[in-house]
Amino acid sequence: MSTIDTAPHRPGPRAWAALVAAEGKMVVRDTAGLIIPLGLPLLILVMNGMGVFGEASVGGVSVFELYVMPLVLTIVIATVGVVNMPSFLAYYRRTHVLRRLAVTPAHPGMILTAQVVVSLVQSLVGVALAVTAAMLFFDVGVPDRLGAALAVFGLAALTMYALGLLVAAVAPTGNAAVAIGLTLFFALGATGGMFGPTDNLPAPLAAVGESLPFGAAVQAMGRAWADMDQNPAHLVAMGAAILVSTAVAVRFFRWE
Amino acid sequence: MDAIEVRGLHKRYGDTVAVEDVSLSVEAGEIYGVLGRNGAGKSTTVEAVAGLQRPDRGEVRVFGLDPRRDRNRLRQVLGVQLQDAALHAALTVRELVRLYRSFYRDGADPEELIEHVGLTGQRRTRFEHLSGGQQQRLNIALALVGDPRAVVLDELTTGLDPEARRHMWATVEGLRDRGVTVVLVSHHMEEVERLCDRVALIERGRVAAVDTPEGLVARAGLEQVVRFRTAAPFDPAVLDRVEEVRSVRTVGDQVVATGSGNLLHAVSTALVKADVVALDTRFERATLEDAFLSLTGSPFDDASGSER
């Protein structure tokens, strides 16, 4: 039996960078896939903006800052995390891209990381677009508690990626991943204020929606923007969603 | 010296036994063919070698490494070309070769490799826009990009046109010249006959025979045939005392002699001795395909059973 002297070798930083670049090109070249994360938030911003601009404030706080901006940012991270990422992963699984990578030194875990990095960049571009437009056209200011807003945004983004990994893990096919992702997105969105203030919902439903990831993210970001103290329940809700989703995703994830 | 060793491999999917009991030992530097019909267990066997399948029983060693436990070391030295594997669809040939090259510590120069598999003209073409044969060539390039010491090629030339196929064969022969061990899963008899140093016939999840391609043909004990015409009427008695000849028939002006051993030479010698002028001499011997049929007892193209 001949043996080899090869030391274990794991792909280095260049390989990680190459994989991130590859995933980035996949996303950028899938032009249709960019419309939703980048275009939809702008649309919602403009529609809501024209509705509430200049008139509404609650106790001296602009509705735009308390409600519209957090909603738009949450939509960005939720579409990227819950809808786009799992559909890419399911597509890779169906076409055996992951299987091909599994026989190279690239640990398939690198793919997940690259996906999250690329998703994060997409989210940041979407957010930058939305915030710039809001500042230019609707007179929205920087969040009153900038640090808190950034921290809450980061937590909310992680929550959405964790949900996305969960969808990718349990969906049997690429189509199912898109269907489950969209259903989850609209269910969370509807109970979390995407189609109008949660005050319009029946009280129990509004309460549930507020403790689900989408609603919790909107509420927590709104509070940071409008100089209000955080409600621990929102943060706990997002933390719990991250832990549960990640645990289930890791347990059920399949490379092929 | 064995580069790849499989001992007592057994693998089932649910109620279906894919591999009953397969043992192979592949020597370093040889081209080892794995031949069998669809569903015989070829792909499952090589996937166990590649570390994609966990054996239910049995042991796999590649250069002494366990494909699953020693994954990180094995991946640097074993290149794999899988059946039906896809790549990032929107990336170009050059981007993919560079991406895969980045995974390995040592490896080929991407531009040279692209030229070597004949894709220079397509290096800016996205994977999704390549033809089937071009995708296949790219897959082979990616199996070689890490300068592996052993490669597993599953259905190397399926989907290639004859010219590209011959080019691939030359590439595989070049691997042998560099001392690379090759495991070649194939359906293509001519390919196996031309390339392989030894061949394992897999039948219903078991190894039916292991031998050189010529050895398999000989082992099947199939007859050879010499056909010729003669200008003058032929007396079959001329071949009576030739040991290699088993039967002689005349059909019109054509003579058909069957037998074994060095039949063509023996018949020619006897004809010359008897001053018989033979015209249009044709020699037919069993091919690997005939041997396959004889050794496994059923037609090769009878694709009963599902893939793997």
Side-chain angles (χ1 to χ4, degrees), chain A residues 18 33 48 53 118 127 161 170 198 239 253:
Chain A
N48 277 288
F53 186 50
V118 169
V127 165
Y161 296 148
V170 299
T198 47
F253 209 87

Side-chain angles (χ1 to χ4, degrees), chain B residues 176-254:
Chain B
R176 172 168 48 198
D177 296 341
R178 279 166 34 207
V180 177
T181 307
V182 179
V183 175
L184 180 72
V185 177
S186 186
H187 260 97
H188 199 280
M189 294 291 177
E190 193 190 343
E191 175 170 299
V192 170
E193 237 171 339
R194 156 139 179 213
L195 293 178
C196 295
D197 298 303
R198 287 191 302 152
V199 183
L201 283 190
I202 310 267
E203 175 70 1
R204 291 173 214 281
R206 295 176 185 276
V207 179
V210 180
D211 211 326
T212 61
E214 304 79 49
L216 286 178
V217 174
R219 198 187 283 218
L222 297 171
E223 293 205 311
Q224 306 167 23
V225 179
V226 178
R227 296 171 197 272
F228 54 90
R229 288 191 301 109
T230 52
F234 179 70
D235 175 12
V238 169
L239 296 177
D240 268 359
R241 250 168 297 162
V242 180
E243 200 181 310
E244 285 86 350
V245 174
R246 197 179 56 79
S247 76
V248 181
R249 286 181 294 140
T250 48
V251 183
D253 64 346
Q254 197 177 122

Side-chain angles (χ1 to χ4, degrees), chain A residues 51-193:
Chain A
V52 301
F53 186 50
E55 53 170 86
S57 66
V58 180
V61 179
S62 142
V63 169
F64 214 99
E65 294 185 353
L66 185 62
Y67 168 64
V68 178
M69 284 313 292
L71 177 63
V72 166
L73 300 195
T74 305
I75 289 174
V76 173
I77 52 180
T79 45
V80 171
V82 182
V83 182
N84 278 29
M85 196 172 65
S87 73
F88 261 95
L89 284 173
Y91 165 76
Y92 284 169
R93 189 160 55 208
R94 179 173 62 77
T95 58
H96 296 165
V97 168
L98 295 179
R99 191 173 139 84
R100 182 64 189 82
L101 284 167
V103 294
T104 72
H107 195 281
M110 289 169 70
I111 287 269
L112 282 190
T113 314
Q115 282 286 343
V116 171
V117 170
V118 169
S119 294
L120 203 62
V121 172
Q122 273 186 84
S123 305
L124 290 177
V125 172
V127 165
L129 277 177
V131 170
T132 308
M135 286 178 166
L136 283 180
F137 302 119
F138 300 112
D139 209 16
V140 166
V142 173
D144 291 327
R145 299 187 181 182
L146 186 58
L150 289 175
V152 169
F153 178 78
L155 182 66
L158 280 181
T159 309
M160 298 305 167
Y161 296 148
L163 284 175
L165 287 183
L166 174 67
V167 172
V170 299
T173 67
N175 280 339
V178 176
I180 297 174
L182 279 173
T183 307
L184 187 64
F185 172 73
F186 283 115
L188 293 177
T191 54

Side-chain angles (χ1 to χ4, degrees), chain B:
Chain B
M1 270 223 310
D2 289 339
I4 298 173
E5 221 178 287
V6 177
R7 275 191 298 264
L9 178 69
H10 178 88
K11 177 78 188 176
R12 57 165 63 229
Y13 303 102
D15 289 339
T16 315
V17 176
V19 172
E20 183 65 54
D21 179 12
V22 164
S23 300
L24 307 170
S25 54
V26 180
E27 288 172 23
E30 76 174 328
I31 302 181
Y32 192 93
V34 178
L35 192 60
R37 58 173 55 78
N38 287 341
K42 306 178 305 259
S43 284
T44 303
T45 301
V46 295
E47 282 172 13
V49 169
L52 281 173
Q53 300 289 349
R54 187 193 304 275
D56 294 332
R57 280 202 305 274
E59 242 192 357
V60 178
R61 289 288 178 275
V62 180
F63 298 114
L65 303 172
D66 180 317
R68 295 188 72 89
R69 249 197 354 255
D70 305 317
R71 182 182 185 281
N72 290 327
R73 296 168 76 176
L74 180 68
R75 292 285 171 252
Q76 292 291 332
V77 293
L78 179 71
V80 180
Q81 175 240 323
L82 295 168
Q83 238 187 98
D84 316 320
L87 303 167
H88 289 81
L91 298 192
T92 67
V93 167
R94 181 194 267 157
E95 287 167 344
L96 282 164
V97 174
R98 288 190 174 163
L99 173 65
Y100 277 67
R101 172 66 187 84
S102 75
F103 300 152
Y104 296 87
R105 187 177 49 188
D106 309 308
D109 175 68
E111 299 299 324
E112 279 175 25
L113 186 59
I114 290 169
E115 195 188 330
H116 185 73
V117 296
L119 288 176
T120 306
Q122 286 76 37
R123 62 187 189 281
R124 290 172 216 278
T125 307
R126 292 186 189 186
F127 179 74
E128 61 196 346
H129 297 147
L130 295 174
S131 73
Q134 290 166 343
Q135 293 190 348
Q136 180 78 348
R137 281 187 269 164
L138 178 56
N139 267 317
I140 290 156
L142 296 183
L144 303 178
V145 74
D147 267 346
R149 294 189 40 189
V151 281
V152 171
L153 302 172
D154 196 351
E155 301 293 351
L156 172 71
T157 58
T158 304
L160 295 190
D161 59 47
E163 194 192 332
R165 176 178 288 149
R166 273 163 210 284
H167 188 73
M168 270 314 140
W169 291 350
T171 300
V172 174
E173 283 168 337
L175 291 175
R176 172 168 48 198
D177 296 341
R178 279 166 34 207
V180 177
T181 307
V182 179
V183 175
L184 180 72
V185 177
S186 186
H187 260 97
H188 199 280
M189 294 291 177
E190 193 190 343
E191 175 170 299
V192 170
E193 237 171 339
R194 156 139 179 213
L195 293 178
C196 295
D197 298 303
R198 287 191 302 152
V199 183
L201 283 190
I202 310 267
E203 175 70 1
R204 291 173 214 281
R206 295 176 185 276
V207 179
V210 180
D211 211 326
T212 61
E214 304 79 49
L216 286 178
V217 174
R219 198 187 283 218
L222 297 171
E223 293 205 311
Q224 306 167 23
V225 179
V226 178
R227 296 171 197 272
F228 54 90
R229 288 191 301 109
T230 52
F234 179 70
D235 175 12
V238 169
L239 296 177
D240 268 359
R241 250 168 297 162
V242 180
E243 200 181 310
E244 285 86 350
V245 174
R246 197 179 56 79
S247 76
V248 181
R249 286 181 294 140
T250 48
V251 183
D253 64 346
Q254 197 177 122
V255 183
V256 182
T258 63
S260 54
N262 201 346
L263 181 68
L264 179 62
H265 180 75
V267 169
S268 309
T269 310
L271 294 180
V272 169
K273 265 190 197 154
D275 270 338
V276 176
V277 179
L279 308 167
D280 291 346
T281 306
R282 281 184 205 164
F283 178 57
E284 293 161 16
R285 67 189 311 165
T287 62
L288 187 58
E289 184 158 354
D290 301 324
F292 181 91
L293 301 185
S294 158
L295 291 170
T296 62
S298 46
F300 185 70
D301 287 328
D302 166 23
S304 55
S306 56
E307 191 50 50
R308 85 170 68 188

